[in-house]
Amino acid sequence: QITLKESGPTLVKPTQTLTLTCTFSGFSLSTSGVGVGWIRQPPGEALEWLALIYWDDDKRYSPSLKSRLTITEDTSKSQVVLTMTDMDPVDTATYYCAHKRLRGGPMDSWGPGTLVTVSS
Amino acid sequence: DIQLTQSPSFLSASVGDRVTITCRASQGISSYLAWYQQKPGKAPKLLIYAASTLEGGVPSRFSGSGSGTEFTLTISSLQPEDFATYYCQQLDSYPITFGQGTRLEIK
């Protein structure tokens, strides 16, 4: 059974850097084709894809946020970390991580999400 | 970026109704389309991938069709637990994009 869970601060100040950790089980990020992605959802709004990392360390980013995002993996800990710099109140959202079974494939398992509020 | 436009944005229907949601892509995406269901306060749940393949464990009243630029999600007979928001997602090219969502409410 695949499970994922997001963790990190619930409140960050404007201009600070956000670091979120996705801890997963039930799969390995060393398995061919597998990826882990990050998606966010501002309150009452639609889903927005942020970043992906694949088993072969291929990394993909949303072009609109690429300069602010870094995605990394710690295979030994079964974790994927997303950092987002220069946080702004418009970045207030629920952040999800999700498992992707192969390139071109869907996000088939999601974490419960974590709400991050950006406010001074 | 590939834009996905869902219609309608809001749908009011009754238990037992057949409903169809459309997702149109701004350019061809072959069959690289997925549908998700999201209930308030919960993570999205994968329903359909590759435009028409039902994810394991998803009831057969859900079905998907289409290819290229036009896709549909159909629920053949609405059940009380189906009232939620539905999103389409394209996985043909980066950036991955989602539709704006279709909110399905009880009439």
Side-chain angles (χ1 to χ4, degrees), chain B:
Chain B
D1 299 7
I2 296 175
Q3 311 299 320
L4 297 179
T5 304
Q6 290 182 230
S7 59
S9 296
F10 178 83
L11 183 56
S12 181
S14 302
V15 172
D17 283 354
R18 177 184 180 92
V19 299
T20 297
I21 299 169
T22 298
C23 178
R24 289 187 172 87
S26 59
Q27 63 191 75
I29 58 171
S30 185
S31 296
Y32 290 100
L33 189 101
W35 290 97
Y36 299 85
Q37 176 193 67
Q38 187 179 33
K39 296 183 179 179
K42 301 295 186 183
K45 173 189 174 183
L46 175 65
L47 298 176
I48 287 168
Y49 63 95
S52 61
T53 302
L54 200 66
E55 176 72 346
V58 174
S60 59
R61 62 181 179 271
F62 291 92
S63 64
S65 65
S67 68
T69 61
E70 187 152 338
F71 303 85
T72 59
L73 170 70
T74 299
I75 310 173
S76 59
S77 178
L78 276 172
Q79 298 302 300
E81 61 268 30
D82 300 337
F83 292 92
T85 300
Y86 293 84
Y87 292 94
C88 58
Q89 178 199 44
Q90 69 82 17
L91 299 129
D92 177 74
S93 61
Y94 297 101
I96 290 171
T97 49
F98 291 88
Q100 83 278 14
T102 295
R103 185 177 173 188
L104 176 56
E105 291 201 342
I106 300 175
K107 184 181 289 184

Side-chain angles (χ1 to χ4, degrees), chain A residues 23-98:
Chain A
T23 303
F24 57 83
S25 64
F27 68 94
S28 170
L29 202 40
S30 300
T31 300
S32 178
V34 170
V36 172
W38 287 93
I39 306 95
R40 71 178 179 180
Q41 185 173 39
E45 297 186 26
L47 300 162
E48 179 186 17
W49 171 71
L50 301 177
L52 264 169
I53 186 167
Y54 286 102
W55 67 284
D56 56 358
D57 206 38
D58 181 21
K59 300 173 184 179
R60 304 284 178 159
Y61 296 98
S62 168
S64 63
L65 294 166
K66 185 174 183 178
S67 64
R68 299 173 53 205
L69 294 175
T70 303
I71 190 168
T72 58
E73 62 165 309
D74 186 333
T75 306
S76 63
K77 293 183 179 179
S78 294
Q79 292 181 332
V80 170
V81 176
L82 181 76
T83 60
M84 181 181 293
T85 61
D86 195 24
M87 294 292 285
D88 183 271
V90 300
D91 297 313
T92 294
T94 297
Y95 288 75
Y96 297 99
C97 63

